Amino acid sequence: MRHRKAGKHLGRNPAHRRAMLRNIVTSLFKYEQIETTDAKAKALRPIAEKMITLAKRGDLHARRQALAYMQDKQVTHKLFDELRERFMDRQGGYVRIIKKGIRGGDGASISIVQLVGLEGGQKKKTKEKKEKEEPKSEDAPKK
């Protein structure tokens, strides 16, 4: 029985699990979108959101806490300098998990983990382009 054993173990010992999550969080902020299993994605989300909350605080202690967890110094600076501005107006929900499908090799369910905000700007641009294109099609002679 698993009574009073909270948290996902992900088939690893505690040191390996911590190292894996540190690597995944670092990769997420480096590439802004990664592909991983559902269980790892669900374990990743609270850690990534905590790092973004630290970046929003922006003081020296928060920066040192983030540097202590993340693997790459440049990625931490990117989080505090560039990505921070994207999330200043949001109150939470910085990470999106999208189910992708099933991996062929072992049948594990795969998800795409991405930072919110990047796609919002792209959608607005496509809507603006469609609005600009519609008047051109209306000006064309009708049959």
Side-chain angles (χ1 to χ4, degrees):
M1 292 185 285
R2 284 193 76 242
H3 295 246
R4 298 179 57 171
K5 296 187 187 307
K8 296 290 183 187
H9 294 251
L10 302 174
R12 290 161 174 82
N13 61 26
H16 187 188
R17 185 168 53 250
R18 177 175 158 81
M20 180 198 62
L21 289 172
R22 289 175 69 185
N23 284 327
I24 291 176
V25 167
T26 305
S27 296
L28 175 64
F29 291 124
K30 184 175 185 179
Y31 300 111
E32 299 185 16
Q33 176 175 328
I34 58 171
E35 185 177 310
T36 185
T37 63
D38 287 351
K40 289 178 193 172
K42 289 176 183 177
L44 162 72
R45 185 196 312 238
I47 298 167
E49 297 207 357
K50 184 174 182 179
M51 291 295 127
I52 293 172
T53 304
L54 288 174
K56 284 176 65 175
R57 252 182 36 206
D59 58 348
L60 181 61
H61 183 58
R63 187 177 290 263
R64 285 181 175 165
Q65 285 178 315
L67 282 167
Y69 193 83
M70 293 175 58
Q71 298 283 358
D72 192 0
K73 201 175 199 178
Q74 283 77 28
V75 175
T76 307
H77 293 313
K78 176 183 176 184
L79 172 65
F80 274 76
D81 297 336
E82 299 171 19
L83 298 177
R84 174 183 183 213
E85 300 301 322
R86 186 188 309 175
F87 299 114
M88 285 305 287
D89 297 335
R90 288 185 79 88
Q91 296 297 315
Y94 311 115
V95 177
R96 176 185 297 132
I97 298 176
I98 302 170
K99 308 266 187 186
K100 184 175 179 185
I102 296 175
R103 187 162 53 196
D106 59 355
S109 53
I110 299 295
S111 291
I112 297 172
V113 182
Q114 55 188 207
L115 297 177
V116 175
L118 179 66
E119 294 74 29
Q122 291 176 349
K123 288 181 182 175
K124 289 179 184 175
K125 290 179 183 176
T126 57
K127 286 181 182 177
E128 290 173 2
K129 287 180 183 177
K130 287 180 183 178
E131 290 174 2
K132 290 179 182 177
E133 291 174 3
E134 286 176 9
K136 291 179 184 177
S137 62
E138 291 175 4
D139 293 338
K142 295 182 181 179
K143 292 181 182 179

